[in-house]
Amino acid sequence: MLIERIWAANDLRNFQYLVACSETGEALVIDPLEGRQCLEAARARGFTTRQILNTHEHLDHTAGNEVVVEETRARVLAHAGAASRIGGVDRGLGRGDIIKVGRTVELEVLDTPGHTRSHVCLLAHGDSPALFCGDTLFNAGAGNCHNGGDPKLLYETFVNQLAQLPDATRVYPGHEYMARNLAFTLDREPGNVDAAKALATAKAVKPEDARVTTLGEEKRVNAFLRLQNPEVVARLRERFPEIGEKPDARTVFVKLRELRNSW
Ligand SMILES: [Zn+2]
Ligand SMILES: [Zn+2]
């Protein structure tokens, strides 16, 4: 499986992706925002774009569909529940569906609500597993729930699905928010040495060169995956005394998300 990450260089700091078969060069574009930029990247690598996948319906993940379809006749894939809001969707997806790219790539569809009600992540299995997670999981953070989402659903997605994946899973999110999110983790958990190191590294590189993390690393530096950490809970209680001494993980997650909204 070949992966090309494309930095959109916009204020929202979007990442777009090409996933291609190493034997046939057939490619899937994930979350095209700048369609021409994605086409150019595919051309430069010699890929033939056959499919587009939108992780969810927000415009910064779909705006490039039209240009890519016009040029390549690619099929558009998206969560069945988001299809009517995106428009032009050829294949509505549900949990457990498989997306084939060329001869060698198979991606499993995960139904991952929270950022929106109808959001999919794609999982590549194998020796080097990879997760394309849109606006669900970010490096050291979690997606917001302002535009059609629900933090309780996002919690369920994190705990029951994403946190269960192998630690070696590489994480490919829809935006580059690494440094800002690590600063949030450190504000929750000043003693987190891994987060401090990762922040120094993140500040030293351009966003387009941001490191690809693994889920194992995320579990060490992402506050939204550290819901039982005593320091996280204690600091959260200073802000939200009503959560009590032993808040359940869901309460911690929802309050972290609430805090991050205004942080
Ligand atoms: Zn979004
Ligand atoms: Zn987005």
Side-chain angles (χ1 to χ4, degrees):
M1 180 174 67
L2 305 172
I3 300 171
E4 173 94 14
R5 187 178 67 183
I6 307 164
W7 165 243
N10 58 336
D11 289 348
L12 284 172
R13 306 174 73 85
N14 284 75
F15 279 139
Q16 314 152 100
Y17 297 94
L18 299 174
V19 174
C21 170
S22 54
E23 284 182 15
T24 68
E26 288 164 276
L28 165 79
V29 189
I30 299 178
D31 287 347
L33 166 59
E34 299 292 345
R36 299 243 162 259
Q37 192 190 18
C38 295
L39 289 168
E40 191 43 54
R43 202 172 293 130
R45 293 285 301 260
F47 296 158
T48 310
T49 303
R50 294 261 198 246
Q51 301 177 88
I52 296 167
L53 178 283
N54 303 126
T55 55
H56 62 295
E57 71 267 27
H58 290 159
L59 202 59
D60 60 313
H61 299 256
T62 63
N65 283 12
E66 208 176 317
V67 166
V68 176
V69 169
E70 206 167 277
E71 189 110 339
T72 66
R73 299 286 143 217
R75 296 184 78 213
V76 179
L77 288 65
H79 193 296
S84 66
R85 287 192 288 279
I86 293 171
V89 173
D90 299 296
R91 180 181 171 195
L93 301 168
R95 179 168 71 106
D97 284 352
I98 299 292
I99 299 171
K100 293 190 175 180
V101 184
R103 268 202 297 271
T104 60
V105 178
E106 286 196 356
L107 301 164
E108 181 189 347
V109 175
L110 309 182
D111 190 351
T112 52
H115 172 67
T116 60
R117 298 261 166 184
S118 303
H119 187 299
V120 291
C121 293
L122 299 186
L123 178 64
H125 295 276
D127 293 343
S128 186
L131 179 72
F132 299 91
C133 39
D135 289 359
T136 298
L137 170 68
F138 292 136
N139 296 121
N144 70 51
C145 303
H146 303 320
N147 299 299
D150 178 343
K152 294 190 192 78
L153 287 176
L154 192 58
Y155 164 75
E156 299 290 340
T157 290
F158 263 62
V159 168
N160 297 331
Q161 297 194 68
L162 305 185
Q164 305 297 323
L165 301 176
D167 280 352
T169 306
R170 287 169 294 154
V171 174
Y172 293 97
H175 294 264
E176 199 296 299
Y177 297 147
M178 180 123 56
R180 178 98 178 119
N181 284 336
L182 285 165
F184 179 74
T185 291
L186 283 164
D187 196 30
R188 315 273 51 77
E189 202 186 333
N192 189 324
V193 176
D194 292 314
K197 275 189 202 153
L199 180 56
T201 308
K203 280 181 169 168
V205 297
K206 294 189 205 136
E208 58 265 46
D209 299 325
R211 226 161 40 84
V212 174
T213 65
T214 63
L215 198 62
E217 291 177 67
E218 290 298 326
K219 287 176 183 170
R220 293 195 293 275
V221 302
N222 190 326
F224 294 90
L225 292 166
R226 299 175 64 73
L227 306 172
Q228 316 281 5
N229 180 276
E231 198 176 9
V232 170
V233 173
R235 298 267 296 174
L236 203 57
R237 263 193 86 200
E238 292 171 14
R239 180 68 182 266
F240 303 103
E242 71 273 17
I243 66 175
E245 220 164 294
K246 292 212 179 304
D248 58 25
R250 188 170 84 159
T251 302
V252 174
F253 185 97
V254 170
K255 288 297 182 190
L256 281 174
R257 191 50 262 177
E258 185 183 330
L259 190 61
R260 181 67 177 82
N261 290 344
S262 57
W263 189 82

